[in-house]
Amino acid sequence: MPLISLHDRAALAARFRTDPALHLFELGDLDDTLWPNTTWYTAAPDSGHGPVALLYSGGDTPVLLAFARPAGLPPLEALLRDLRPFLPRRFMAGLPDGAEQALAPDYAVERRTPLLRMLLTAELPAEVAHETMPLGLDDVEDVRALLAASYPDSWFDPRMLAGGGYAGVREHGRLLAVAGVHVHSPAQRVAVLGNVTTHPDARGRGLARACVTALCHRLAATTDHLGLNVRTDNAPAIRLYERLGFTTVATYNELVLGATG
């Protein structure tokens, strides 16, 4: 089937708002700061309700996002098969379980990370005792150093520091814990938390909890749908998020895919 490239932000938002928990990233990428780095595809003929694939090119590695609930998986696989000639040689992808088979044999999975998508469904968690502070662009090197020490596989976009999208805990000037956002769109009223981590020397003290809590309160005025992703094997983090009022709403795989030819 031929592909259609989509350019109408309002129409895209209407599609994704039928299931905002599943499409938090797509809604966030409609924001003015991220929109220029996006390309959107669907299959022809377009009913206005079919699956959409997003190719984001704003980072070091391109990212493909294409989600559907199980009932919509066959149309999504058909879209991915048609998209293969237009994909880069190596990219990251967020896909439902099994959807990557539609990209074979042209692409092989180099890394697979099963994730939970969790959404804040309870009242905002109570503030905790640790003092947190907003981080900005002046803190970028400290954030990079902390992520390198405690979360080397993280995806970090320094631009998110410019809008106050990070909270941190410092002791004696040293950054020990952070929580940030991967996407935040006040216009779409969505945000996805990310890069929640504590330095190995300071774990077990509730510092990450304090950062997440502070960030939730800071985002509340501009966010109706606040979510995050967590590895399925990270039981301590899942318990923490559940205590803070997050509920699992979807599962999918974060993949690194490379061309086989």
Side-chain angles (χ1 to χ4, degrees):
M1 280 189 181
L3 294 173
I4 297 175
S5 181
L6 303 173
H7 306 282
D8 187 332
R9 272 197 277 189
L12 286 165
R15 289 184 191 237
F16 299 139
R17 286 200 168 276
T18 62
D19 194 345
L22 186 65
H23 297 296
L24 283 177
F25 274 99
E26 293 97 317
L27 285 165
D29 285 337
L30 297 175
D31 195 68
D32 286 346
T33 58
L34 303 176
W35 173 256
N37 300 312
T38 63
T39 309
W40 310 81
Y41 299 97
T42 191
D46 179 27
S47 66
H49 303 285
V52 173
L54 160 64
L55 188 60
Y56 179 79
S57 57
D60 294 335
T61 303
V63 179
L64 173 69
L65 298 178
F67 296 122
R69 296 294 182 179
L73 196 53
L76 176 61
E77 290 175 338
L79 172 59
L80 291 173
R81 282 194 294 271
D82 293 337
L83 194 58
R84 284 180 298 184
F86 304 95
L87 295 173
R89 289 192 55 79
R90 191 172 188 271
F91 59 95
M92 294 182 64
L95 299 173
D97 195 39
E100 73 280 3
Q101 296 173 13
L103 299 174
D106 297 327
Y107 288 90
V109 175
E110 298 178 6
R111 188 180 74 213
R112 180 191 308 271
T113 306
L115 298 176
L116 303 181
R117 167 69 51 79
M118 305 186 78
L119 194 72
L120 184 62
T121 56
E123 293 185 6
L124 286 174
E127 295 274 12
V128 293
H130 296 288
E131 182 180 357
T132 65
M133 61 187 66
L135 303 177
L137 288 173
D138 290 344
D139 301 294
V140 64
E141 294 307 321
D142 287 346
V143 173
R144 288 188 189 277
L146 175 58
L147 293 174
S150 61
Y151 192 1
D153 293 333
S154 61
W155 186 86
F156 175 53
D157 185 348
R159 291 176 299 180
M160 293 302 169
L161 287 167
Y166 272 69
V169 173
R170 289 185 182 273
E171 287 185 359
H172 309 294
R174 184 186 180 204
L175 187 64
L176 294 181
V178 297
V181 295
H182 286 318
V183 296
H184 176 214
S185 173
Q188 300 297 333
R189 298 191 63 81
V190 299
V192 182
L193 302 186
N195 291 346
V196 178
T197 191
T198 303
H199 194 281
D201 296 343
R203 289 176 179 164
R205 297 167 48 192
L207 302 186
R209 177 190 178 105
C211 294
V212 171
T213 301
L215 206 50
C216 287
H217 281 270
R218 191 181 307 161
L219 293 168
T222 59
T223 304
D224 294 328
H225 302 285
L226 177 61
L228 54 84
N229 299 326
V230 59
R231 291 172 56 130
T232 57
D233 61 357
N234 192 347
I238 294 170
R239 287 195 297 270
L240 166 63
Y241 297 138
E242 288 175 340
R243 289 196 297 268
L244 291 176
F246 288 84
T247 302
T248 298
V249 294
T251 61
Y252 70 98
N253 290 316
E254 181 183 83
L255 307 164
V256 177
L257 293 135
T260 55

